[in-house]
Amino acid sequence: MKKLVSLAMAAAMTLSLAAAPAFAAEEDYGEYNWTLAMTVSETTTNYKMVEYFANLVNEKSNGSITIDLYPGGQLANTTEQDEAVVAGSIDMVTGMTADLTDFVKEMALFDMPNVFDSIDHMRNFLEGDYAKTQINEYCEASGIHMIAFSDAGFRQLTTNVETKTVEDLKNQKIRVMTNKYHIAYWNEVANAVPMQFNELFMGLQQGTVDGQENPYMNIVGNNLQEVQKYVVETNHVGHIIVFFMNNDLYQSLPDNTKALIDECAAEAAEFAKGVANESIELDKQTVVDAGCEIVTFSDEDLATLREKAQVVYDMVREDLGDDTVQQFMDAIDAAR
């Protein structure tokens, strides 16, 4: 059955490419060769989305636009590649919202935990006018143009301590990213331990930390299920994928080429939804097969997490201003 789903997705991609000319075959889009960097591997939703995008752009431009993909940090680490896009030495990047907070301070809005009710709610928001216009205004002011958003579902908690309620987290040591908002949140819920991702597997194995938080994609992609006993579906932060390019480059393109980029990016983001959905289901089965128990919190415990998240909301309001946060929250409500 899983193989059939994968084959169906592949067939859909083939049909989409074959159906291409929404753009006239004789139209001139200019000749370009762009670099597209990422620190994640070829197995991720990020990679599959941008690979689809690159193939689609090449097909619809009749080969005049080519995009070279560099996964796995081949060109730079996360901070370096984001700096390079702002400077224009790398054309395009895919990563996640948290990667961009040093460059686009308003990306901290996405670090406010427990704002989305479900994956559908999050996707409605990402496809809405606010994300496409207001968020992109913030990005362009910082030198990048947001081509598309996608997601890998929510970030979840994994731990070696039996955890059935929020109260069970109280004394646990949870590895977090070196992000002040994430640290503040997990210090309200448990004990936050900032740690580099490449140190995490050994930290879990040796008991330096009890648990960590990541989307299923990263849990399974890095075999964390081998050193964890529980996956707790906290759904605390969306793992939102960003796909962006140098703003000066985008603005310099002819209108028809911009339209081509926009259309292909929207189609690639839609394709990525199916990739993410399939990946999450397969990854959940992988953690179960490895002996992990998946725990679902009660509505009461999820409400408790929202209450504990208020400390982060206050921090973001202080950093960005009440009006900026309120506009974001209004758009969240409108997407329900």
Side-chain angles (χ1 to χ4, degrees):
M1 184 65 182
K2 293 169 188 169
K3 187 177 287 187
L4 287 175
V5 174
S6 297
L7 289 172
M9 287 178 62
M13 181 175 177
T14 302
L15 283 172
S16 172
L17 293 175
F23 295 86
E26 67 276 7
E27 193 161 353
D28 181 11
Y29 299 105
E31 292 194 11
Y32 303 95
N33 175 245
W34 294 324
T35 55
L36 200 169
M38 67 207 86
T39 57
V40 295
S41 72
E42 293 93 333
T43 64
T44 59
T45 300
N46 300 59
Y47 182 88
K48 292 172 184 176
M49 176 181 70
V50 296
E51 180 185 45
Y52 185 99
F53 170 81
N55 289 336
L56 199 58
V57 169
N58 185 256
E59 178 78 15
K60 289 189 173 185
S61 70
N62 304 299
S64 70
I65 301 176
T66 57
I67 303 171
D68 298 326
L69 276 56
Y70 295 91
Q74 293 179 47
L75 297 186
N77 64 32
T78 299
T79 301
E80 291 168 346
Q81 70 182 13
D82 293 347
E83 288 175 342
V85 171
V86 172
S89 54
I90 292 176
D91 301 309
M92 299 175 170
V93 157
T94 179
M96 58 179 287
T97 51
D99 299 337
L100 276 176
T101 53
D102 287 342
F103 301 92
V104 185
K105 66 181 186 298
E106 291 86 0
M107 283 296 170
L109 292 164
F110 293 104
D111 285 325
M112 295 192 296
N114 306 103
V115 295
F116 296 113
D117 302 334
S118 65
I119 288 180
D120 287 341
H121 179 204
M122 178 169 67
R123 290 174 177 172
N124 286 343
F125 174 83
L126 294 176
E127 292 166 6
D129 289 340
Y130 176 89
K132 291 178 179 177
T133 57
Q134 185 60 67
I135 293 294
N136 217 354
E137 284 185 25
Y138 297 143
C139 291
E140 290 182 352
S142 300
I144 64 174
H145 176 82
M146 190 62 61
I147 305 172
F149 288 105
S150 186
D151 71 88
F154 288 107
R155 297 178 75 87
Q156 312 292 7
L157 172 74
T158 70
T159 178
N160 279 320
V161 178
E162 185 174 10
T163 302
K164 303 297 183 181
T165 68
V166 174
E167 187 65 23
D168 294 332
L169 290 167
K170 194 169 184 180
N171 296 312
Q172 292 187 42
K173 294 174 291 184
I174 305 300
R175 177 269 172 184
V176 299
M177 292 187 288
T178 54
N179 173 304
K180 68 178 183 180
Y181 305 114
H182 291 217
I183 292 168
Y185 175 68
W186 284 103
N187 274 332
E188 287 292 307
V189 176
N191 294 315
V193 180
M195 180 185 290
Q196 293 299 317
F197 191 68
N198 60 3
E199 301 170 2
L200 177 56
F201 188 92
M202 185 171 291
L204 293 169
Q205 196 172 44
Q206 295 180 347
T208 306
V209 289
D210 299 305
Q212 61 86 48
E213 53 83 48
N214 258 295
Y216 277 106
M217 174 180 77
N218 289 350
I219 294 167
V220 171
N222 293 275
N223 296 314
L224 301 184
Q225 73 278 2
E226 295 179 3
V227 288
Q228 295 278 259
K229 295 178 182 176
Y230 301 93
V231 178
V232 186
E233 294 196 329
T234 46
N235 294 339
H236 53 282
V237 173
H239 190 86
I240 298 173
I241 293 169
V242 289
F243 178 27
F244 55 95
M245 68 188 294
N246 175 271
N247 187 47
D248 288 342
L249 172 59
Y250 179 82
Q251 300 303 338
S252 73
L253 298 173
D255 287 344
N256 66 331
T257 307
K258 287 180 187 174
L260 174 70
I261 296 301
D262 295 345
E263 180 172 310
C264 292
E267 190 169 331
E270 186 66 27
F271 170 74
K273 282 187 198 175
V275 173
N277 291 341
E278 181 181 6
S279 173
I280 290 167
E281 290 308 308
L282 292 174
D283 290 341
K284 288 175 77 166
Q285 189 59 51
T286 297
V287 302
V288 170
D289 291 344
C292 293
E293 179 183 346
I294 296 179
V295 178
T296 304
F297 272 169
S298 68
D299 290 343
E300 291 78 8
D301 279 307
L302 291 175
T304 299
L305 288 180
R306 289 190 193 97
E307 290 171 12
K308 290 181 178 294
Q310 291 304 312
V311 64
V312 180
Y313 292 22
D314 292 342
M315 290 171 65
V316 176
R317 285 183 184 277
E318 184 175 342
D319 290 344
L320 302 182
D322 289 340
D323 289 346
T324 298
V325 173
Q326 194 56 53
Q327 285 179 12
F328 177 81
M329 297 305 294
D330 288 346
I332 293 285
D333 287 340
R336 285 192 165 90

